[in-house]
Amino acid sequence: MNNIEQLELINIFDDAEYVIPIYQREFAWEYEQIEQLIVDINSFDNQNYYIGTLIVFKRSDGKFEVIDGQQRLTAIYILLSYLELEPKNLTFDCRDKSNKTLKNLSNLDKVEEVEINIKIGRDSVKAIFDKPDNQIDIEIFKDRLKNVILFRIEVPKNTDLNRYFETMNIRGEQLEQNEIVKALLMSKLTNDEQTAFAKIWNACSDMNSYIQMNFDEQERKILFGDNWNEIKFNETGIFKNFQVAALNDDSDEKTILEIINSPPSDENNLAASGESYNDDTRFRSIINFDFFLLHTLQVYVSLNKISAISVDDKKLLEQFKKLINADFSRKFIYYLLKCRFLFDKFIIKREHNYKNNSYDWTLQEVDKSTSGDYYKNTNFNNNEHKNILMIQSCLRVTYTSPQSMSWINKLLAWLFANDDINDYLKMIEDIAKVPIKEFIDSKNYSQGTATPHIIFNYLDYLLWKKNPNVNFNFEYRNSVEHWYPQNPPEGNKRWSADDENSFGNLCLITQSENSQLSNRMPKSKINDCAEICKKSSLKLREMAKVTDWDLNNCKVHHDDMIKLLSF
């Protein structure tokens, strides 16, 4: 029988030694996952917050071998180290570089060989707490840690670890909140309605594929038309009012419910014919299903003029319980399917670039008439596709926490209510401009590292629009860099605080760029870090064009950038 212990997160490393075995992959969490962990801890409002499970095997030497949960455990170690809570007792089997990096997290500059993924984790934690809009009080955050609980589950001593590890990966996670929400919504429906509801819900829950590809061909035609690229369903007919001709020769008419309930034939199932379009490795959604549910709920309450709903995955069940009844269940599944169609067609995704083994921003739609693999760039008037792709990726890299992505439900609500998409680009830009106008109107342009990141990213978007042929993509740039350093090397004049922190002297860079540019003078940055300057933000590239960066050149650049931002 498994031994289960309830541990306070703040003390998790005090009572035991943990070992990450060699068969586990290296630490891989990046900024997004770490930020979500920190946001979750900082935002819970119950007496205790249960952060998950850690599955371990107790070795003969008394150390706990981590079978599952090592990514979260390592991130917690890095977090506690940043908070100067002096964690210990975490090591990696046969990975000296990783162990040295863990032991010297507070002073990595003196470590000769650093495990880069752990360093990125450390830099991400620092960037998250340094963000001007995070509103995290470190002392309050530390106090919250006392109420964050993690369950440590010890497997029996005779467990075949390799088999256990493989089985656990196959089975996946435990019952999630969205599954409980699904059950509650379905409980209000008739048996026939429940079958259709479950089929649609399950199709929508697979976020890393296009919604059409989660139905068979008959269902696609009924729901999305002959070319699978239109909305052919409506609120009153989502369960039973679609009378369509069957695709087989007998021409019997079937309802959407009957077709959903019937098993797909080989002729109607594209996957069965050997064509695989539902490739989870090809596309990645920018949000998970829990947050998509909450964004859909925001669309519902917005269009039906109901009180606001919190976009917080920890309150998913709580938000739905306020509204659940039979009428809501029937309406919500319609909203879910329509929002998912709109989300896939009009909101960016990541697509695997097999040539570079990277994921690039993409904005595509499904169209059966398209030659090849049925995907094409979403069709916009006036060649606006690239502009929409860029402004959305600008927003995505700025608002990295799912709770801060209100731009998604605002766009979905607009798309839901508007068939004419000619003003779609303007709608997105208007959303992005709100904090820009606040910044310009404030006249406070010397905020230093407290300058909102959207100011830098939206400026890059405007610079790109001036020169759309430039090689530039939005990345997760989370560090505000002083181009002329705050603490210049000996022999160089120190600028005033207002000049150092002026918008003209600032740029947004990645964590890795931050460590390379360090405290260098501008000319040294240009000469010694030329590749970084060529590939970084467009504002930085503008600054790098000035070889002799002095206070006068800084002010000229500042005025030019503020003028561009003003509208």
Side-chain angles (χ1 to χ4, degrees):
M1 185 174 181
N2 291 355
N3 180 21
I4 303 176
E5 292 186 67
Q6 180 173 304
L7 306 174
E8 293 178 357
L9 194 68
I10 198 168
N11 299 319
I12 191 170
F13 295 103
D14 293 347
D15 73 330
E17 292 187 51
Y18 298 94
V19 179
I20 310 298
I22 191 62
Y23 60 76
Q24 293 273 20
R25 63 174 179 156
E26 295 181 351
F27 180 66
W29 273 20
E30 297 182 347
Y31 185 93
E32 289 179 89
Q33 295 99 325
I34 294 173
E35 181 180 47
Q36 189 60 58
L37 172 68
I38 292 173
V39 169
D40 284 349
I41 293 172
N42 191 61
S43 59
F44 79 89
D45 52 13
N46 297 323
Q47 185 176 0
N48 286 330
Y49 174 50
Y50 297 92
I51 203 169
T53 58
L54 178 68
I55 300 177
V56 298
F57 171 80
K58 196 168 188 177
R59 293 180 173 181
S60 57
D61 59 4
K63 296 180 180 180
F64 286 115
E65 180 174 320
V66 180
I67 303 174
D68 186 48
Q70 71 102 344
Q71 297 290 329
R72 184 189 293 112
L73 186 67
T74 306
I76 290 168
Y77 185 98
I78 294 170
L79 173 62
L80 296 180
S81 176
Y82 174 81
L83 296 173
E84 298 181 349
L85 295 173
E86 300 182 0
K88 53 186 178 181
N89 298 331
L90 177 64
T91 57
F92 290 79
D93 267 346
C94 305
R95 294 177 186 169
D96 290 341
K97 186 161 67 172
S98 296
N99 290 329
K100 288 179 182 177
T101 306
L102 272 186
K103 290 180 180 179
N104 295 278
L105 281 171
S106 61
N107 199 9
L108 289 183
D109 294 337
K110 295 186 178 180
V111 180
E112 290 185 6
E113 290 187 86
V114 173
E115 171 52 57
I116 187 62
N117 290 341
I118 294 176
K119 182 181 184 300
I120 289 174
R122 192 283 309 265
D123 291 345
S124 296
V125 171
K126 184 179 185 302
I128 291 162
F129 279 95
D130 287 348
K131 277 180 66 174
D133 56 351
N134 67 17
Q135 298 178 340
I136 299 178
D137 183 295
I138 288 185
E139 293 307 315
I140 294 176
F141 185 86
K142 287 182 182 179
D143 193 57
R144 282 178 175 270
L145 290 176
K146 298 173 184 176
N147 294 323
V148 178
I149 304 299
L150 185 142
F151 288 103
R152 184 175 65 203
I153 303 176
E154 182 183 342
V155 300
K157 290 185 177 180
N158 59 352
T159 301
D160 182 337
L161 292 184
N162 289 329
R163 185 176 181 84
Y164 189 97
F165 187 63
E166 291 172 5
T167 303
M168 187 171 50
N169 281 338
I170 292 170
R171 289 177 62 189
E173 299 180 354
Q174 302 174 27
L175 192 67
E176 296 181 350
Q177 283 198 78
N178 68 67
E179 295 173 298
I180 301 173
V181 170
K182 173 186 173 184
L184 288 173
L185 290 169
M186 289 176 61
S187 70
K188 306 298 181 182
L189 303 174
T190 66
N191 289 340
D192 285 345
E193 289 173 333
Q194 287 181 0
T195 304
F197 184 103
K199 184 65 180 281
I200 295 169
W201 180 284
N202 293 343
C204 290
S205 68
D206 182 359
M207 296 298 294
N208 290 329
S209 63
Y210 279 75
I211 185 61
Q212 295 93 321
M213 301 311 176
N214 296 336
F215 294 98
D216 70 32
E217 189 169 1
Q218 277 188 315
E219 295 161 0
R220 291 187 191 119
K221 183 173 181 178
I222 297 163
L223 294 170
F224 309 110
D226 289 342
N227 290 323
W228 311 340
N229 61 355
E230 303 174 83
I231 293 176
K232 290 294 187 180
F233 53 90
N234 57 49
E235 184 174 343
T236 58
I238 193 68
F239 288 113
K240 59 184 179 181
N241 291 341
F242 288 146
Q243 297 293 330
V244 298
L247 298 180
N248 50 28
D249 292 336
D250 60 18
S251 297
D252 287 340
E253 291 189 339
K254 297 183 179 181
T255 66
I256 181 68
L257 179 61
E258 290 171 333
I259 290 180
I260 283 177
N261 286 344
S262 62
S265 65
D266 286 347
E267 291 79 9
N268 293 331
N269 190 336
L270 290 182
S273 69
E275 299 178 44
S276 176
Y277 302 103
N278 187 8
D279 183 358
D280 288 350
T281 64
R282 176 170 180 179
F283 296 106
R284 286 184 180 176
S285 171
I286 61 172
I287 55 174
N288 65 27
F289 184 53
D290 279 3
F291 282 108
F292 180 72
L293 285 174
L294 285 166
H295 282 298
T296 301
L297 192 58
Q298 285 276 19
V299 173
Y300 179 87
V301 299
S302 172
L303 297 181
N304 289 277
K305 296 180 170 48
I306 301 172
S307 58
I309 295 295
S310 169
V311 182
D312 184 344
D313 63 331
K314 296 186 297 301
K315 298 179 180 178
L316 179 66
L317 189 56
E318 174 187 332
Q319 301 301 330
F320 273 90
K321 281 183 175 179
K322 299 175 182 177
L323 299 170
I324 288 177
N325 56 48
D327 185 56
F328 172 74
S329 294
R330 295 184 184 101
K331 288 181 178 179
F332 185 76
I333 199 64
Y334 163 73
Y335 271 75
L336 186 67
L337 185 57
K338 183 172 179 178
C339 281
R340 182 58 201 277
F341 175 85
L342 296 171
F343 179 85
D344 285 347
K345 186 171 183 175
F346 296 110
I347 304 293
I348 57 171
K349 294 183 186 294
R350 287 286 206 177
E351 182 177 12
H352 192 191
N353 184 327
Y354 291 93
K355 182 178 180 180
N356 301 323
N357 194 28
S358 61
Y359 278 86
D360 300 331
W361 302 114
T362 185
L363 184 61
Q364 299 185 56
E365 64 177 318
V366 172
D367 189 338
K368 186 183 177 183
S369 66
T370 304
S371 60
D373 65 356
Y374 299 160
Y375 297 101
K376 69 173 187 179
N377 284 346
T378 303
N379 186 34
F380 290 100
N381 296 329
N382 304 320
N383 299 315
E384 291 180 336
H385 177 271
K386 184 64 174 179
N387 295 60
I388 293 171
L389 179 73
M390 292 296 282
I391 186 60
Q392 284 196 25
S393 55
C394 165
L395 291 170
R396 177 64 186 93
V397 301
T398 301
Y399 302 111
T400 53
S401 169
Q403 284 98 333
S404 65
M405 295 184 197
S406 60
W407 61 275
I408 293 178
N409 57 63
K410 289 176 181 176
L411 292 183
L412 288 177
W414 186 87
L415 290 163
F416 202 102
N418 290 276
D419 294 327
D420 187 349
I421 60 169
N422 286 330
D423 291 330
Y424 187 50
L425 176 60
K426 180 180 182 301
M427 175 67 182
I428 308 173
E429 289 182 337
D430 286 347
I431 291 172
K433 285 177 181 178
V434 172
I436 311 300
K437 186 176 187 304
E438 292 174 356
F439 177 74
I440 295 299
D441 290 347
S442 75
K443 305 295 183 183
N444 179 12
Y445 306 143
S446 295
Q447 299 181 30
T449 57
T451 306
H453 292 183
I454 184 60
I455 311 300
F456 298 100
N457 284 325
Y458 191 75
L459 176 62
D460 276 349
Y461 171 68
L462 295 177
L463 289 169
W464 170 82
K465 285 184 73 174
K466 291 179 65 176
N467 183 16
N469 294 320
V470 66
N471 183 18
F472 172 74
N473 288 298
F474 282 101
E475 299 177 10
Y476 292 99
R477 301 179 173 96
N478 301 305
S479 292
V480 176
E481 170 80 356
H482 290 78
W483 193 238
Y484 189 94
Q486 289 180 293
N487 299 296
E490 188 175 347
N492 294 281
K493 184 179 178 181
R494 172 92 186 246
W495 286 5
S496 71
D498 280 348
D499 290 331
E500 285 175 357
N501 291 312
S502 74
F503 186 67
N505 192 46
L506 305 173
C507 53
L508 203 58
I509 59 177
T510 65
Q511 295 295 319
S512 59
E513 291 169 348
N514 178 276
S515 60
Q516 294 179 67
L517 293 177
S518 188
N519 208 41
R520 299 167 181 263
M521 293 295 287
K523 185 173 290 188
S524 173
K525 292 174 181 177
I526 296 170
N527 295 334
D528 298 339
C529 305
E531 288 304 310
I532 290 179
C533 295
K534 289 179 183 177
K535 298 177 181 179
S536 195
S537 73
L538 295 181
K539 184 180 190 300
L540 187 152
R541 296 184 205 182
E542 290 294 313
M543 300 165 83
K545 291 177 182 178
V546 182
T547 54
D548 295 315
W549 188 258
D550 57 20
L551 191 54
N552 182 62
N553 287 325
C554 176
K555 290 180 177 179
V556 170
H557 172 75
H558 170 89
D559 291 343
D560 289 344
M561 297 301 100
I562 293 297
K563 182 178 180 181
L564 186 58
L565 284 169
S566 303
F567 48 85

